[in-house]
Amino acid sequence: MTLTSRLARRADMPTLLPLIGAAITELQKGFLDDAQIESSRSIMGIDTQLIDDGTYFVVESDGQIVGCGGWSRRATLYGGDHSQGRDPALLDPARDPAKVRAMYTDPRFARRGVGRLILSLCEAAAVAEGFDSLELMATLSGRPLYEAAGFVPVEHVEDPAGGTPVRLVRMRKSISASIA
């Protein structure tokens, strides 16, 4: 299987939305119960600001989108267009970590390198803009990928926005020395 990547476009939305829905439903099984999975829909999803900023990627296999994710130079740590508490303020690369955001893999392509490819694209782009660290809010199902990529947990939180609290883990990674 060969994976390719490109920047996402608004025209990709009809493909991305069902992929994201399937990822939320299927990949969190075994980590969250049904009520938590349903609740997580209120805090997860696409953030079109990332597409507009040119920091959101799609990964394709044989011309089919199999994953998406990106990074941000903005203060919002997580959440989709519909989420509360979003902050569009620009980050200062000398002081703030860039944010890895909205990563989703088609469940049929899980554990086949899609997430790692997205993380490498995000890291390279953030370094190119002068950031020396990355931060993300991991789902419990995403945490193993992020730990394998060098992220470390810095805070455990629960987000009650959807009615049933969903456990999340804030994670960080230094990237200044990891890109040669």
Side-chain angles (χ1 to χ4, degrees):
M1 178 179 78
T2 301
L3 298 175
T4 59
S5 63
R6 63 174 172 80
L7 288 175
R9 301 179 291 262
R10 288 266 185 155
D12 294 321
M13 295 289 288
T15 302
L16 295 177
L17 295 175
L19 181 151
I20 291 168
I24 291 170
T25 299
E26 297 301 320
L27 298 180
Q28 294 190 102
K29 289 180 179 174
F31 295 90
L32 301 177
D33 64 31
D34 290 343
Q36 291 169 315
I37 290 171
E38 189 56 37
S39 186
S40 70
R41 293 181 192 287
S42 70
I43 60 173
M44 300 172 85
I46 193 88
D47 182 344
T48 53
Q49 182 68 63
L50 301 174
I51 295 173
D52 295 343
D53 285 348
T55 61
Y56 203 64
F57 303 99
V58 295
V59 173
E60 297 176 322
S61 176
D62 295 324
Q64 174 188 357
I65 295 176
V66 297
C68 54
W71 73 281
S72 183
R73 59 182 76 87
R74 297 182 185 274
T76 300
L77 180 57
Y78 69 100
D81 285 346
H82 60 280
S83 301
Q84 302 213 355
R86 296 162 46 87
D87 184 352
L90 291 173
L91 300 169
D92 177 356
R95 183 183 73 229
D96 303 313
K99 311 300 186 204
V100 173
R101 303 277 320 283
M103 289 190 50
Y104 301 98
T105 299
D106 181 320
R108 297 170 296 172
F109 290 84
R111 288 170 282 293
R112 294 167 94 183
V114 174
R116 276 208 181 264
L117 175 55
I118 293 168
L119 286 174
S120 69
L121 294 167
C122 293
E123 188 169 329
V127 165
E129 289 204 21
F131 288 92
D132 63 8
S133 62
L134 293 172
E135 181 177 58
L136 57 82
M137 188 64 83
T139 60
L140 299 182
S141 61
R143 182 178 175 172
L145 167 68
Y146 303 130
E147 286 180 331
F151 285 84
V152 295
V154 295
E155 179 184 19
H156 295 264
V157 300
E158 285 190 347
D159 189 321
T164 300
V166 176
R167 292 174 294 161
L168 302 166
V169 182
R170 180 187 297 252
M171 302 181 81
R172 288 195 185 118
K173 177 183 181 179
S174 174
I175 57 175
S176 58
S178 63
I179 299 278

